Amino acid sequence: MAQQLEIDHAGFDVAMVDGYPYLLEFNRLFGNTGLQGLSQQVSQAIEHYLREQSERDDDPIDPTPPLPVAV
């Protein structure tokens, strides 16, 4: 794929779903520093999600999946 896109150096994020590769993203310019404040935003989102889940009244025998299933 890198040859087809004429990319010499890149990071690719690929998910394998039922034996098929899905390209999520690729980065030609990347480093070792993340986006400012992203860690805090992610932590807050996880905390929010966990609080919502703890307040749900699901049936423990037949729970509803929290996220849609990838096709």
Side-chain angles (χ1 to χ4, degrees):
M1 183 180 298
Q3 290 175 340
Q4 292 170 338
L5 297 173
E6 298 180 9
I7 298 173
D8 294 332
H9 187 80
F12 290 83
D13 292 345
V14 178
M16 296 297 293
V17 179
D18 293 328
Y20 295 95
Y22 287 81
L23 178 62
L24 304 177
E25 70 169 326
F26 70 93
N27 300 299
R28 290 183 47 214
L29 305 173
F30 54 92
N32 58 4
T33 59
L35 300 174
Q36 295 295 333
L38 182 61
S39 178
Q40 183 179 7
Q41 291 174 358
V42 170
S43 296
Q44 290 172 349
I46 291 171
E47 181 181 358
H48 177 74
Y49 172 80
L50 291 175
R51 286 184 189 274
E52 281 186 344
Q53 296 307 304
S54 69
E55 295 169 0
R56 290 173 56 169
D57 189 22
D58 283 346
D59 179 357
I61 304 300
D62 188 24
T64 303
L67 298 173
V69 177
V71 179

